[in-house]
Amino acid sequence: MTKTKSSAATIRDVARQAGVSVATVSRYINHNAPVSAEVAARLETVMVELHYTPQANARSLATHRTHTLGLLMVDIAGDFFPPLLSGIEAVTYENGYDLLISSIREPERRRTFPLPVGPHNTDGLLVFADSLDAEGMQRFAASHFPLVLIHRSSPEGLIIPCVTVENKAASCTIVEHLIETHNRRRILFLQGPGEQEDSQWRELGYREALEKHNIPFDPALVAPGNFDRVIAYHSMQQLLARGVIFDAVFTGDDEAAVGALMALNEAGITVPDAVSVAGFDDQRMAPFLTPPLTTVRAPTEEVGRVAAQQLLSLIRTGQANPLTLLPTEIVIRCSCGCNS
Amino acid sequence: MTKTKSSAATIRDVARQAGVSVATVSRYINHNAPVSAEVAARLETVMVELHYTPQANARSLATHRTHTLGLLMVDIAGDFFPPLLSGIEAVTYENGYDLLISSIREPERRRTFPLPVGPHNTDGLLVFADSLDAEGMQRFAASHFPLVLIHRSSPEGLIIPCVTVENKAASCTIVEHLIETHNRRRILFLQGPGEQEDSQWRELGYREALEKHNIPFDPALVAPGNFDRVIAYHSMQQLLARGVIFDAVFTGDDEAAVGALMALNEAGITVPDAVSVAGFDDQRMAPFLTPPLTTVRAPTEEVGRVAAQQLLSLIRTGQANPLTLLPTEIVIRCSCGCNS
DNA sequence: CTGAAAGCGCTTACAG
DNA sequence: CTGAAAGCGCTTACAG
């Protein structure tokens, strides 16, 4: 109780107060060498009394490990983000790691080194979609800095572990559902962003479903959705204005479904009677839309969990699975025409 | 180009290669003392060549500043979270700080010290709502560790800067809109979580509106909404099942509005014809609901920005505004009965 | 089981 | 404008 300085207690304060060396305190804290029961008890008391918490940076400097993971995101504001972050944070916490997050808004920032997060403050990085370009990854890879890619595959020539979701088969299945169960044949597809791999796979699934049922692919039925409510809304309005005939729409993702549903609604076109709608992701609002959205469930929180686990594995063992493809499943609600 | 070691370059490598002392390199990096133009040029070249980035932890250890902000959250998964985090992250980035985030799920974690984030790894903390209890705040305050509270006021006896949103007046105004413009008199209120201050203020606003129009407060018209879709949905179902008569509902927040809308919809009660609905927050999905939701716009991203700014100010100058109350405004869409 | 000491990569008086 | 040296708070061989 002699300590009245306002600054936090250090390992030396603890050592002094307990009458041992700092080495012993360190060993006790880290449980990496035996400490006599007597000393342990004394240490415990002193540490509690002094509110002692080891300084993270001093520890990092000595061990060359920060015990923190970095997350590089493109857009923090979407509905897709919370479950992903939640999964990542949970695993990070469970493993006693810290989580540093950074959002890359402007494209230039993707290659302006040093990034806000990197080897200087983390042990490894979770890279979401195109928050980092191939050149940036190349640079990290060259220095053997652990990277795990989320919803994006490794660029040509590099082998970086990826975790993403099965897009194509599920897209095919849900479009086939529209065709087989609801007799739809003129099915609109709202394309996601061109550079997004998810988007490309979903289009392939859409085309495959068409092919399997001998429905010719019609470019006039493809319009930009961009995984974005507003863009999808405007696309639908234009399609409607141009008098394009269709009896269903596969919106690419749930965000676009929200915009499509609104445009349809405003135009007085009833869903699902006149037009069936199907999305992808099964975001939180999907069951609450009018009508409740038929969609594909993507296990986004699980993607976050697995990605964090893979990164931890890479950091600790140098090993990780080159590709983790998480399964998706169809969720039938009402917007396709079922359950009405 | 003699350097082939795989480990990252240190300040000594730079100094050696440029033929100066590490002190000079440090000064050049930090721009805190003049360096000759000639040396500066040489240093620049060498640093680029070596991909040199100062090790954050060594710097922190020497300066006693981590240059990182911590964020303590309750629930990372809600729709409320992305704009808040987006605002926080933007300001953090603009100021060259790092952002460490941690979600407190279980109540016990709020007082299990050390928290994942604290003086040992950050310069200050942003505390959202009840992610930390009064005792925890007391403890941080006692060691003069900078804290800024978000959507929550300082506990008794402590003076911790808070940033939140104006709840009561806006709630009163929107309920008055229901009364005055749409002639509603039996207005349901879906209560938020009891411990949430936002919730308490919104109820006060609701009551004030009633009073101003001489509508007696009827406890039978208050039900749990809990800022939660599912709970609000069930509450509405029960109200309906019990045959409670009402012509409007102020849902406490937009989440609850989603659930309420769904229950009403399923019961075949038309909104806004039979029942007006108004929410609070103006979350992303509000304009896309059916019908588009009349609500109160809360500047959540701005809350995040201001909170981060206040924390930075507290860290740098020791000063911050005791209370920042951000203005809210009514957003009239269709669910109240307007624009239909 | 324990301690003395070197070292991690920086910054910053102090001296010139 | 520049350098030598001490120090930040830890960890970890090394020795006992």
Side-chain angles (χ1 to χ4, degrees):
Chain A
M1 284 297 147
T2 53
K3 184 167 199 324
T4 46
K5 284 199 307 174
S6 68
S7 62
T10 72
I11 197 173
R12 295 193 54 159
D13 297 319
V14 175
R16 196 175 358 241
Q17 192 116 172
V20 297
S21 72
V22 296
T24 299
V25 180
S26 174
R27 287 179 192 117
Y28 174 69
I29 294 168
N30 296 298
H31 304 292
N32 55 7
V35 166
S36 75
E38 184 200 8
V39 168
R42 220 169 340 135
L43 247 19
E44 192 52 45
T45 311
V46 174
M47 285 176 50
V48 169
E49 195 173 293
L50 259 36
H51 290 330
Y52 175 67
T53 309
Q55 202 63 21
N57 49 49
R59 204 193 277 232
S60 298
L61 186 56
T63 59
H64 295 285
R65 313 198 123 245
T66 62
H67 263 263
T68 111
L69 264 31
L71 170 62
L72 227 40
M73 287 286 308
V74 202
D75 180 20
I76 235 163
D79 281 354
F80 185 82
F81 183 65
L84 183 74
L85 182 60
S86 183
I88 292 171
E89 196 276 338
V91 170
T92 303
Y93 170 73
E94 288 160 14
N95 285 271
Y97 273 65
D98 286 337
L99 180 64
L100 221 44
I101 85 158
S102 180
S103 162
I104 301 294
R105 284 175 193 76
E106 325 86 54
E108 332 84 67
R109 270 180 66 190
R110 289 168 212 191
R111 31 166 66 185
T112 309
F113 278 75
L115 263 20
V117 80
H120 61 291
N121 56 7
T122 58
D123 292 344
L125 241 46
L126 257 12
V127 176
F128 180 77
D130 49 345
S131 55
L132 184 64
D133 61 17
E135 196 181 320
M137 292 185 204
Q138 167 64 57
R139 185 148 160 184
F140 281 133
S143 61
H144 303 290
F145 181 66
L147 246 41
V148 165
L149 272 24
I150 300 177
H151 277 256
R152 183 217 202 291
S153 62
S154 197
E156 198 78 24
L158 294 178
I159 306 177
I160 306 177
C162 320
V163 4
T164 186
V165 125
E166 200 298 308
N167 280 300
K168 187 180 166 191
S171 294
C172 178
T173 306
I174 205 165
V175 173
E176 284 200 84
H177 173 77
L178 263 22
I179 298 171
E180 293 171 2
T181 307
H182 301 290
N183 291 308
R184 305 305 187 174
R185 297 192 63 90
R186 292 196 53 80
I187 306 171
L188 239 41
F189 175 60
L190 298 185
Q191 239 166 359
E195 67 289 2
Q196 263 271 357
E197 293 178 14
D198 291 324
S199 171
Q200 297 162 9
W201 286 111
R202 288 173 199 175
E203 178 162 354
L204 290 179
Y206 162 77
R207 288 187 184 227
E208 181 171 296
L210 258 34
E211 245 174 58
K212 282 167 100 170
H213 292 269
N214 295 312
I215 301 177
F217 170 74
D218 181 354
L221 294 181
V222 176
N226 227 49
F227 291 177
D228 183 290
R229 298 171 184 204
V230 177
I231 291 177
Y233 173 74
H234 290 310
S235 268
M236 285 301 292
Q237 280 190 323
Q238 284 185 19
L239 255 5
L240 258 15
R242 289 211 309 269
V244 174
I245 307 292
F246 58 90
D247 53 20
V249 28
F250 175 44
T251 62
D253 84 331
D254 286 358
E255 288 288 327
V258 170
L261 243 21
M262 192 166 95
L264 256 11
N265 200 17
E266 285 182 6
I269 296 174
T270 60
V271 175
D273 300 340
V275 170
S276 292
V277 172
F280 200 113
D281 278 349
D282 198 22
Q283 289 187 358
R284 286 181 81 225
M285 82 296 211
F288 298 96
L289 295 176
T290 312
L293 190 68
T294 286
T295 189
V296 175
R297 172 164 160 65
T300 305
E301 178 158 4
E302 184 66 9
V303 168
R305 295 191 65 93
V306 173
Q309 280 158 355
Q310 290 296 312
L311 181 56
L312 253 8
S313 164
L314 197 55
I315 290 169
R316 304 206 254 229
T317 71
Q319 307 281 313
N321 299 329
L323 176 64
T324 309
L325 203 61
L326 263 23
T328 45
E329 57 175 0
I330 306 294
V331 179
I332 300 297
R333 283 193 274 252
C334 309
S335 65
C336 56
C338 289
N339 310 316
S340 60
Chain B
M1 284 297 148
T2 52
K3 184 168 200 318
T4 45
K5 282 199 307 175
S6 68
S7 62
T10 72
I11 197 172
R12 295 193 53 162
D13 297 320
V14 175
R16 196 175 358 241
Q17 192 114 172
V20 298
S21 73
V22 297
T24 299
V25 180
S26 175
R27 288 179 192 117
Y28 174 68
I29 294 169
N30 296 298
H31 303 294
N32 55 8
V35 166
S36 74
E38 185 200 7
V39 168
R42 221 174 332 142
L43 246 20
E44 192 52 44
T45 312
V46 173
M47 285 174 52
V48 170
E49 194 173 293
L50 259 37
H51 290 332
Y52 174 67
T53 309
Q55 202 62 22
N57 49 48
R59 203 193 276 233
S60 299
L61 185 57
T63 59
H64 296 285
R65 314 196 123 244
T66 62
H67 263 264
T68 110
L69 264 31
L71 170 62
L72 226 41
M73 287 286 308
V74 202
D75 179 20
I76 235 164
D79 281 354
F80 185 82
F81 183 66
L84 183 74
L85 182 60
S86 183
I88 293 171
E89 196 276 337
V91 170
T92 304
Y93 170 72
E94 288 159 14
N95 285 272
Y97 273 66
D98 286 337
L99 180 64
L100 223 43
I101 86 160
S102 179
S103 163
I104 301 295
R105 284 177 195 74
E106 324 86 54
E108 330 85 66
R109 271 180 65 190
R110 289 167 211 192
R111 32 166 63 185
T112 310
F113 277 75
L115 261 20
V117 80
H120 61 288
N121 55 7
T122 58
D123 292 343
L125 241 46
L126 257 11
V127 176
F128 181 77
D130 49 344
S131 55
L132 184 66
D133 61 17
E135 196 181 321
M137 292 185 204
Q138 168 63 58
R139 185 148 159 186
F140 280 133
S143 60
H144 302 291
F145 182 66
L147 245 40
V148 166
L149 272 26
I150 299 178
H151 277 256
R152 184 217 200 292
S153 62
S154 197
E156 198 80 23
L158 293 178
I159 306 177
I160 305 176
C162 320
V163 1
T164 186
V165 125
E166 199 296 308
N167 281 300
K168 187 180 167 190
S171 295
C172 178
T173 306
I174 204 165
V175 172
E176 285 200 84
H177 173 77
L178 264 22
I179 298 172
E180 295 171 2
T181 306
H182 301 290
N183 291 309
R184 306 305 188 175
R185 296 191 63 88
R186 291 198 52 81
I187 305 173
L188 238 42
F189 175 60
L190 298 184
Q191 237 167 1
E195 67 286 3
Q196 263 272 355
E197 293 178 14
D198 291 324
S199 171
Q200 297 163 9
W201 286 112
R202 290 173 197 174
E203 177 161 357
L204 289 179
Y206 161 78
R207 288 189 184 225
E208 182 172 294
L210 260 32
E211 245 173 60
K212 282 167 98 171
H213 293 268
N214 295 313
I215 302 176
F217 170 74
D218 181 354
L221 294 181
V222 175
N226 228 48
F227 292 176
D228 184 289
R229 298 170 183 203
V230 177
I231 291 177
Y233 172 74
H234 290 309
S235 266
M236 285 301 291
Q237 281 189 324
Q238 284 185 18
L239 255 6
L240 259 14
R242 290 210 309 269
V244 174
I245 306 293
F246 58 92
D247 53 20
V249 29
F250 174 44
T251 61
D253 84 332
D254 288 358
E255 288 288 328
V258 170
L261 242 22
M262 191 165 97
L264 254 13
N265 200 16
E266 285 182 7
I269 296 173
T270 60
V271 175
D273 299 342
V275 169
S276 292
V277 172
F280 201 115
D281 277 350
D282 197 22
Q283 289 187 356
R284 283 182 83 225
M285 80 297 209
F288 299 95
L289 295 176
T290 311
L293 190 67
T294 286
T295 188
V296 175
R297 172 163 160 65
T300 305
E301 177 159 4
E302 185 64 10
V303 168
R305 295 191 65 91
V306 173
Q309 281 158 355
Q310 290 297 312
L311 181 56
L312 253 8
S313 163
L314 197 55
I315 290 169
R316 305 205 254 229
T317 71
Q319 307 281 311
N321 299 329
L323 175 63
T324 308
L325 203 61
L326 262 23
T328 44
E329 57 175 359
I330 306 293
V331 179
I332 300 296
R333 281 193 275 252
C334 310
S335 65
C336 56
C338 290
N339 310 317
S340 59

